[in-house]
Amino acid sequence: IAAPFLERVDTKGPYLNFFIKREELAQRVLTKIQQQKLFGSSTIGKGKTIVLEYSSPNIAKPFGVGHLRSTVIGNALYHILSFTGYKVVRVNHLGDWGTQFGKLVCAYKRYGNQKELEKEPIQHLFNIYVKFHEEAEIRPELEEEARNWFKRLEQGDKDATELWTLFRDLSLEEFKKYYSFLDVEFDSYAGESFYSEML
């Protein structure tokens, strides 16, 4: 056998089967990587930029397995594309705007607990959001109250904005624990709220 990493070559009917010495091949690849730190890289993306959006959880809600999947796949793509010469802009487009935040502010005003918020912020916000929906089934007027809170938020009302900012900051703090553990970073956390003044 000419190639030292081949164990044997067999024929079976019309097929030619090559069996590789895995240890030998692995050793050759590892040696090559050690010799050239950029083994496998290319310059195909040189001078080109790719915007890659991934993770994108909703604030005030638990980080779910779907977000974990997106985060891991997105981070893998970031490394692959960077290794082939692209400038990659990593965007975490947060779900941080919309009528649900009027509901959340309304829920916090009615059922919120400062100590619970400090202890387990995301879980507390999620719990009061669920409670709001349960109560709104019985008292539909709560939906109107929530719409008014979101309108106030859109208009820059101090009380509504302070609460929304607190919820966003607490959520990001929680999410960044996961990102730190996964060794994931982003260039931008501009969520839906970034565009609110442009709508």
Side-chain angles (χ1 to χ4, degrees):
I1 298 172
F5 55 85
L6 286 179
E7 194 172 90
R8 69 181 195 278
V9 179
D10 288 344
T11 57
K12 189 162 189 173
Y15 299 102
L16 191 58
N17 299 307
F18 294 85
F19 293 84
I20 296 170
K21 293 180 187 172
R22 292 182 184 189
E23 296 82 7
E24 177 71 25
L25 185 61
Q27 186 59 49
R28 284 168 170 259
V29 171
L30 290 172
T31 301
K32 196 80 167 168
I33 289 171
Q34 287 172 344
Q35 290 170 349
Q36 300 176 339
K37 292 200 183 299
L38 297 178
F39 177 69
S41 68
S42 77
T43 57
I44 193 171
K46 188 175 180 184
K48 299 173 186 170
T49 300
I50 288 182
V51 177
L52 190 61
E53 180 205 331
Y54 54 103
S55 197
S56 305
N58 295 318
I59 68 167
K61 290 187 178 171
F63 195 87
V65 70
H67 300 113
L68 177 62
R69 180 176 182 268
S70 167
T71 302
V72 171
I73 292 171
N75 198 47
L77 287 171
Y78 159 70
H79 286 290
I80 291 166
L81 292 166
S82 297
F83 208 54
T84 53
Y86 289 93
K87 176 187 176 189
V88 184
V89 180
R90 300 162 292 180
V91 176
N92 192 349
H93 186 65
L94 302 169
D96 66 354
W97 201 248
T99 54
Q100 70 267 34
F101 294 102
K103 293 177 181 181
L104 188 59
V105 170
C106 182
Y108 189 76
K109 285 288 189 181
R110 288 180 164 272
Y111 323 115
N113 181 297
Q114 184 67 33
K115 286 183 180 176
E116 287 296 314
L117 187 67
E118 290 170 5
K119 186 178 168 189
E120 285 190 80
I122 305 300
Q123 193 59 53
H124 182 59
L125 292 172
F126 183 69
N127 290 344
I128 63 171
Y129 187 74
V130 169
K131 185 172 182 174
F132 171 87
H133 281 278
E134 291 169 352
E135 290 286 320
E137 291 281 323
I138 304 160
R139 300 173 53 209
E141 65 271 14
L142 287 176
E143 294 285 353
E144 186 60 33
E145 189 178 324
R147 276 192 287 276
N148 288 333
W149 272 112
F150 185 59
K151 185 177 180 183
R152 288 173 65 176
L153 182 59
E154 286 183 303
Q155 293 170 342
D157 174 80
K158 185 175 182 290
D159 199 14
T161 303
E162 280 179 1
L163 279 175
W164 173 83
T165 303
L166 175 65
F167 301 157
R168 188 180 193 278
D169 291 347
L170 289 171
S171 298
L172 269 176
E173 192 178 313
E174 186 73 14
F175 297 153
K176 285 180 179 179
K177 290 177 188 174
Y178 296 111
Y179 298 140
S180 176
F181 178 76
L182 295 168
D183 197 21
V184 171
E185 295 178 4
F186 293 94
D187 300 302
S188 169
Y189 284 92
E192 295 164 345
S193 62
F194 177 79
Y195 300 97
S196 62
E197 292 182 11
M198 306 173 203
L199 297 177

